[in-house]
Amino acid sequence: MEEADIGLIGLGVMGENLALNIADNGYKVAVYNRTADKVDAFLANAGDLKSNVMGSGELATFISMLKRPRSVIIMVKAGDPVDQVIAELKPLLEEGDVIIDAGNANYHDTVRRFSELDGTGIGFLGIGVSGGEEGARHGPSIMVGGSEAQWKNAEAVLTAISAKFNGEACCAYLGTGGAGHFVKTIHNGIEYADMQMIAEIYGIMRDGLGMSPEDCAKVFKEWDKGPLDSYLIEITGHVLDAVDDESGKPLVEVILDAAGQKGTGRWSAIEALNLGVSATTIEGAVAARSISAMKGERVRGEEIYGAGVKGNATISLEALEKALLAGKIAAYAQGFAVMAKASEENGWNLPLATIAKIWRAGCIIRSRFLDQISQAFDSGGAANLLTQPAFIDMMKDSNGALRAVVATCAINELPAPCLSSALAYFDAYRQARGTTNLTQGQRDFFGAHGFKRLDKDGDFHHTWPSLIG
């Protein structure tokens, strides 16, 4: 019987498209789904790719279709379903085989699974896959973590199906254990921040300047030709331009203003806090999604306090463009700083320049200046982009616009939590003498935590007055 180069479990939207991508790149893929009818439907609808696909609704038969050493991709819902699939696979696999979790897993789960399989002879890879449905079908960005030796099992296939940027594959091995899923988590955190800041700029255009969706669309399409050139700016123009077939209204005006969350944004913020790294733009974006879900309370809040000033803001489109660029730089600076700290804490030695390179195509946050980010890290620069020459120049040119936009929002009562957080981060980052000296004094007063001095080494404690009696 002819054998498949790789197997894939889970024929949801992402799984189906990834399998078709594998077949389209000349590799034979075997598929399995707990619901056997989905396997039959997939095989029946494979069209011209039928010669490169096979499958079974019976797990042992599916495993028998794979070349040794076997590589099995899991594309099921994160959490317990992944553990259940692994438990079912273990008795059927042999030494040298590898299980590949390609879902949006919490990297702590990936570390645990990697550890549980260590010593069994069965490898485990946690890979981040970014690009959505289209990326899965035509080329995603792929972030690999786990055993480097067993990564070799699937390297040829995963490299082939990844997106390409100027001929370079947007796929790389990043480190042991949970490195790949951690990087994907931070990718999604940056994505949250980027999307939120775009939405805030749209809010200023709509509510502050009184612009129609069509007018906003034209601006974003023009911005996509300049420094903000990116996938998210590109699709924003299309979203704002779309018309609802049913009502004839701009589609964006009939979409409910309440965002969902699948967890990766929150995980990014939590990991940043655990690592002691400031990621205020990600935190602001997560908070904005949370408050967006409080639709009823927001309606009541407007009834009580009134809405912001409508159509009276005074700010130029050029300032909005520069402000968005400055905010975007801050978000990327924070995301890469979180990854640098995680790399240090976990001994991953994350290749930050390579991460920037594999994000240049396929993934959701692909943008023009990822090349500049890659070059900055290739040159051996510090982990924070705000200290890199190319970004110093951009921030010097654009931070004034960010300040003007945030001030305009405050004056006109327009919410801008992410842009405001980006500005506050920038201002705090460049303040050599901060205000935490007072905080340290307070902590020593009520908790005898001690403090350090500017004029001598060591730890000190002051005898404070008693406020009792």
Side-chain angles (χ1 to χ4, degrees):
M1 183 180 71
E2 197 170 21
E3 293 180 311
D5 298 296
I6 197 165
L8 185 143
I9 295 175
L11 290 173
V13 173
M14 289 291 287
E16 280 195 356
N17 280 288
L18 206 62
L20 291 172
N21 186 358
I22 293 168
D24 209 12
N25 276 278
Y27 290 94
K28 293 191 181 299
V29 59
V31 299
Y32 165 80
N33 197 82
R34 193 178 298 276
T35 306
D37 288 350
K38 293 204 75 171
V39 176
D40 295 336
F42 176 80
L43 297 176
N45 294 323
D48 294 341
L49 299 175
K50 194 165 188 176
S51 61
N52 279 343
V53 299
M54 56 187 75
S56 173
E58 202 278 316
L59 189 60
T61 303
F62 159 76
I63 293 298
S64 72
M65 295 176 172
L66 306 179
K67 289 179 183 176
R68 290 176 171 83
R70 306 178 185 93
S71 296
V72 183
I73 298 173
I74 300 174
M75 289 293 288
V76 300
K77 187 177 180 181
D80 288 341
V82 175
D83 289 317
Q84 291 169 17
V85 172
I86 292 172
E88 292 170 4
L89 283 173
K90 282 171 66 176
L92 302 173
L93 298 179
E94 302 170 350
E95 185 170 347
D97 294 343
V98 62
I99 298 170
I100 304 168
D101 179 11
N104 269 342
N106 186 311
Y107 97 99
H108 293 289
D109 286 337
T110 305
V111 171
R112 171 179 56 79
R113 290 164 184 150
F114 180 80
S115 178
E116 288 171 353
L117 287 168
D118 190 30
T120 67
I122 301 169
F124 186 76
L125 298 176
I127 68 170
V129 178
S130 177
E133 179 182 349
E134 182 179 345
R137 178 63 184 87
H138 299 291
S141 174
I142 300 176
M143 297 145 262
V144 182
S147 165
E148 185 171 12
Q150 287 171 313
W151 146 240
K152 300 299 181 184
N153 285 18
E155 181 178 8
V157 175
L158 296 180
T159 301
I161 68 170
S162 69
K164 306 297 184 294
F165 183 86
N166 292 339
E168 291 184 64
C170 293
C171 173
Y173 174 78
L174 303 178
T176 61
H181 275 145
F182 184 89
V183 170
K184 175 56 163 57
T185 294
I186 302 305
H187 165 285
N188 284 24
I190 296 171
E191 176 188 310
Y192 268 54
D194 206 344
M195 292 173 69
Q196 176 60 30
M197 287 187 285
I198 291 171
E200 290 171 16
I201 292 294
Y202 154 69
I204 297 166
M205 292 177 176
R206 182 191 69 187
D207 299 329
L209 301 178
M211 293 172 62
S212 68
E214 183 181 9
D215 290 337
C216 295
K218 290 176 182 176
V219 173
F220 279 100
K221 288 179 180 180
E222 190 61 32
W223 285 355
D224 193 42
K225 301 173 185 176
L228 287 172
D229 173 18
S230 64
Y231 174 73
L232 285 172
I233 292 292
E234 180 184 9
I235 67 169
T236 298
H238 290 295
V239 171
L240 288 167
D241 227 5
V243 175
D244 176 42
D245 293 335
E246 191 172 322
S247 66
K249 296 178 180 179
L251 181 61
V252 73
E253 292 189 347
V254 300
I255 296 175
L256 178 67
D257 55 321
Q261 299 190 60
K262 291 187 176 179
T264 48
R266 286 196 303 271
W267 297 344
S268 295
I270 290 167
E271 294 306 327
L273 289 168
N274 286 338
L275 290 164
V277 179
S278 178
T280 56
T281 57
I282 297 172
E283 293 166 16
V286 171
R289 289 203 187 189
S290 296
I291 201 167
S292 79
M294 301 161 56
K295 177 69 173 179
E297 291 183 56
R298 290 189 289 113
V299 170
R300 180 60 178 150
E302 183 172 325
E303 290 172 353
I304 296 170
Y305 296 106
V309 178
K310 301 291 185 181
N312 292 328
T314 305
I315 194 78
S316 70
L317 294 176
E318 180 185 8
L320 294 181
E321 180 182 22
K322 285 189 172 184
L324 187 51
L325 179 63
K328 189 182 183 82
I329 292 169
Y332 276 78
Q334 291 177 352
F336 274 87
V338 173
M339 289 190 289
K341 184 64 173 178
S343 181
E344 178 186 325
E345 293 282 323
N346 293 284
W348 285 332
N349 195 27
L350 290 178
L352 299 180
T354 298
I355 291 168
K357 285 179 180 177
I358 65 174
W359 286 354
R360 292 178 301 178
C363 77
I364 302 301
I365 64 171
R366 58 187 185 262
S367 65
R368 173 183 290 193
F369 71 27
L370 279 163
D371 249 341
Q372 292 165 293
I373 293 176
S374 178
Q375 290 163 15
F377 289 123
D378 258 339
S379 65
N384 198 301
L385 294 175
L386 294 180
T387 64
Q388 295 301 306
F391 294 94
I392 291 171
D393 291 342
M394 282 192 279
M395 283 302 285
K396 283 185 174 180
D397 181 60
S398 61
N399 84 87
L402 177 59
R403 194 173 310 283
V405 167
V406 171
T408 298
C409 288
I411 291 168
N412 290 277
E413 304 171 41
L414 300 170
C418 215
L419 291 169
S420 300
S421 295
L423 179 62
Y425 172 76
F426 174 71
D427 283 342
Y429 189 81
R430 67 195 187 97
Q431 187 177 38
R433 177 69 167 155
T435 57
T436 313
N437 51 322
L438 176 59
T439 306
Q440 292 298 86
Q442 292 169 328
R443 293 178 71 240
D444 190 56
F445 193 116
F446 64 69
H449 293 291
F451 52 83
K452 295 186 182 296
R453 296 175 59 102
L454 290 171
D455 54 358
K456 60 180 78 173
D457 293 333
D459 295 312
F460 298 88
H461 169 64
H462 184 68
T463 301
W464 303 97
S466 174
L467 300 184
I468 299 174

